[in-house]
């Protein structure tokens, strides 16, 4: 004969009523057990906990927050899930393991859209009842006025004096261009990132600083916006590589743009690195699997995420934290760069 303890719940989400029915106790008894309240026999507690585990019952985040004012959930807000944010999520996830916090990843924009202030609107939806604090990736506005603790990774406007984490974009770009100059390139193009991002502006500044230090004039006709987008960069690179006096090297502001350059070169029958050298920025996983593997400036993306978690957890504990963390970049030299082709006389 089948007992209430053996009866599986119906289809859909497991409810507290399902647990009570399966355990053969009342709903208030289940509520006392899952909320660690007194007045329940030890044997009953064990039986209810076994049913909770077997059925996979989870209390609502909203209900949990109403009971305790805390959800033990950290929100991760990104514009979209692309290679850069995905690698950051890896670091955030690893650093959160064992802390007692869960993660809620939230994409605030549709791909290709532009809605300033998406972070503020997203935080207003999530804070208070769903998340205790948030890590926001490349926010477009200051996060210091948020109602919950917030750490910003690579904010549009750069360090804002309040809980930000980024890398030394200018130094990384300068090292990339110095690498191309050391190989003998002087006609170097630059595919810029998004104009509204401080990281893009700093990478452009690093490019120009390296050229100036080497005494090589910058040809402004070789400076084009790639907007951190692969397709856009491929189209721009096609224009650059069909110029009568085309560049022998391209420094792209991120790996997606650099991959677009590789596609444009292949379509034009140009060999990389024999005819064209290409350098990217970020070192996302795809960078090492392109043909040829991409020379790039590695941002410590996993460490960026981990640093943001460490800072946020300290804020949630009410401990003092540093306002800004800046991490170093590393040049990863692979097979997409070489000496420029010998000019034909």
């Amino acid at each position: 004969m089948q007992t209430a303890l053996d009866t599986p719940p119906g289809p859909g989400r497991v409810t507290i009523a399902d647990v009570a029915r399966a355990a053969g106790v009342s709903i208030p008894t289940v509520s006392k057990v899952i909320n660690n309240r007194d007045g329940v026999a030890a044997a009953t507690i064990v039986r209810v906990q076994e049913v909770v585990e077997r059925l996979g019952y989870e209390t609502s985040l909203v209900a949990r927050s109403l009971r305790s004012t805390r959800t033990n959930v950290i929100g991760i807000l990104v514009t979209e899930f692309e290679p850069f944010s995905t690698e950051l999520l890896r670091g955030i996830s690893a650093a959160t393991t064992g802390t007692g916090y869960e993660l809620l990843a939230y994409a605030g924009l549709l791909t290709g859209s532009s809605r300033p202030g998406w972070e503020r609107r997203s935080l207003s939806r999530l804070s208070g009842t769903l998340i205790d604090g948030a890590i926001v990736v490349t926010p477009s506005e200051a996060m210091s006025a948020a109602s919950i603790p917030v750490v910003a990774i690579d904010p549009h406007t750069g360090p804002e004096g309040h809980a930000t984490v980024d890398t030394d974009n200018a130094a990384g770009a300068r090292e990339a261009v110095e690498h191309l100059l050391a190989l003998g390139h002087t006609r170097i193009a630059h595919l810029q990132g998004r104009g509204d991002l401080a990281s893009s502006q700093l990478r452009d500044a690093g490019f120009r600083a390296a050229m100036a230090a080497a005494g090589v004039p910058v040809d402004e006709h070789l400076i084009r916006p790639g907007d951190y987008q692969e397709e856009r960069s491929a189209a721009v690179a096609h224009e650059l590589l069909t110029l009568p006096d085309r560049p022998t090297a391209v420094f792209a502001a991120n790996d997606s743009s650099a991959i677009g350059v590789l596609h444009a070169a292949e379509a034009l029958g140009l060999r990389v690195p024999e005819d064209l050298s290409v350098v990217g920025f970020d070192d996302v996983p795809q960078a090492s699997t392109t043909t040829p593997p991409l020379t790039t400036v590695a941002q410590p993306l996993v460490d960026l995420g981990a640093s943001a978690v460490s800072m946020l957890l300290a804020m949630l504990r009410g401990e003092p934290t540093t306002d800004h963390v800046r991490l170093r970049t590393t040049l990863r030299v692979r097979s997409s760069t070489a000496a420029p082709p010998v000019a034909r006389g």
Side-chain angles (χ1 to χ4, degrees), residues 1-9 21-22 54:
M1 182 178 70
Q2 190 178 51
T3 66
L5 189 63
D6 300 318
T7 303
R21 184 167 51 253
R54 178 166 58 83

Side-chain angles (χ1 to χ4, degrees), residues 19-74:
V19 175
R21 184 167 51 253
V25 298
S26 67
I27 290 177
T29 297
V30 175
S31 179
K32 287 181 180 180
V33 172
I34 63 179
N35 289 295
N36 297 316
R37 294 174 183 163
D38 297 329
V40 182
T44 302
I45 292 174
V46 171
R47 185 163 75 255
V48 171
Q49 289 175 337
E50 287 176 347
V51 172
V52 166
E53 180 69 21
R54 178 166 58 83
L55 297 185
Y57 173 69
E58 292 286 350
T59 57
S60 159
L61 288 177
V62 174
R64 190 194 308 172
S65 70
L66 291 174
R67 289 193 306 270
S68 67
T69 72
R70 297 292 290 268
T71 65
N72 290 330
V73 176
I74 292 172

Side-chain angles (χ1 to χ4, degrees), residues 221-245:
H221 290 96
L222 301 184
I223 311 300
R224 305 287 180 90
D227 295 335
Y228 287 152
Q229 297 178 5
E230 183 177 324
E231 291 186 4
R232 163 76 167 162
S233 296
V236 172
H238 189 279
E239 296 175 6
L240 288 169
L241 298 178
T242 53
L243 291 173
D245 188 13

Side-chain angles (χ1 to χ4, degrees), residues 8 43 56 62 89 93 100 102 137 164-165 168 177 219 310 328 332 342:
V62 174
L89 283 169
S93 177
E102 299 173 356
V137 180
T164 58
V165 184
D168 197 337
V177 178
D219 185 342
S310 177
R328 297 180 60 182
R332 304 272 190 232
V342 178

Side-chain angles (χ1 to χ4, degrees), residues 59-263:
T59 57
S60 159
L61 288 177
V62 174
R64 190 194 308 172
S65 70
L66 291 174
R67 289 193 306 270
S68 67
T69 72
R70 297 292 290 268
T71 65
N72 290 330
V73 176
I74 292 172
I76 314 300
L77 278 62
V78 300
T79 53
E80 58 181 304
F81 297 111
E82 37 70 47
F84 178 82
S85 60
T86 300
E87 283 301 290
L88 287 174
L89 283 169
R90 285 184 58 229
I92 292 169
S93 177
T96 309
T97 301
T99 64
Y101 281 88
E102 299 173 356
L103 298 179
L104 174 65
Y106 184 90
L109 294 178
L110 296 175
T111 302
S113 64
S114 178
R115 292 168 52 201
W118 67 269
E119 315 88 341
R120 176 172 30 82
R121 290 188 292 271
S122 298
L123 283 172
S124 69
R125 296 188 188 104
L126 302 175
S127 61
T129 57
L130 288 178
I131 60 176
D132 295 334
I135 296 171
V136 185
V137 180
T138 62
S140 59
E141 57 183 42
M143 294 287 97
S144 54
S147 60
I148 58 174
V150 176
V151 175
I153 295 179
D154 196 21
H156 282 211
T157 56
E160 58 186 55
H162 176 78
T164 58
V165 184
D166 66 8
T167 56
D168 197 337
N169 289 284
R174 181 164 183 162
E175 187 175 11
V177 178
E178 287 172 347
H179 168 66
L180 293 172
L181 291 164
L183 290 171
H185 295 276
T186 56
R187 192 155 178 76
I188 304 173
H190 175 41
L191 289 192
Q192 300 167 313
R194 285 173 44 187
D196 62 329
L197 294 183
S199 61
S200 174
Q201 297 160 14
L202 289 168
R203 291 172 199 182
D204 182 79
F207 165 80
R208 295 176 184 276
M211 297 287 278
V216 177
V218 173
D219 185 342
E220 295 297 335
H221 290 96
L222 301 184
I223 311 300
R224 305 287 180 90
D227 295 335
Y228 287 152
Q229 297 178 5
E230 183 177 324
E231 291 186 4
R232 163 76 167 162
S233 296
V236 172
H238 189 279
E239 296 175 6
L240 288 169
L241 298 178
T242 53
L243 291 173
D245 188 13
R246 62 175 178 80
T248 62
V250 177
F251 167 53
N254 76 341
D255 289 340
S256 292
S257 293
I259 291 170
V261 176
L262 293 178
H263 291 329

Side-chain angles (χ1 to χ4, degrees), residues 255-300:
D255 289 340
S256 292
S257 293
I259 291 170
V261 176
L262 293 178
H263 291 329
E266 182 181 18
L268 292 170
L270 295 175
R271 300 167 300 163
V272 177
E274 293 86 354
D275 301 318
L276 177 73
S277 288
V278 182
V279 180
F281 203 112
D282 286 339
D283 198 25
V284 297
Q286 295 92 322
S288 62
T289 62
T290 56
T291 304
L294 184 66
T295 294
T296 187
V297 178
Q299 292 201 79

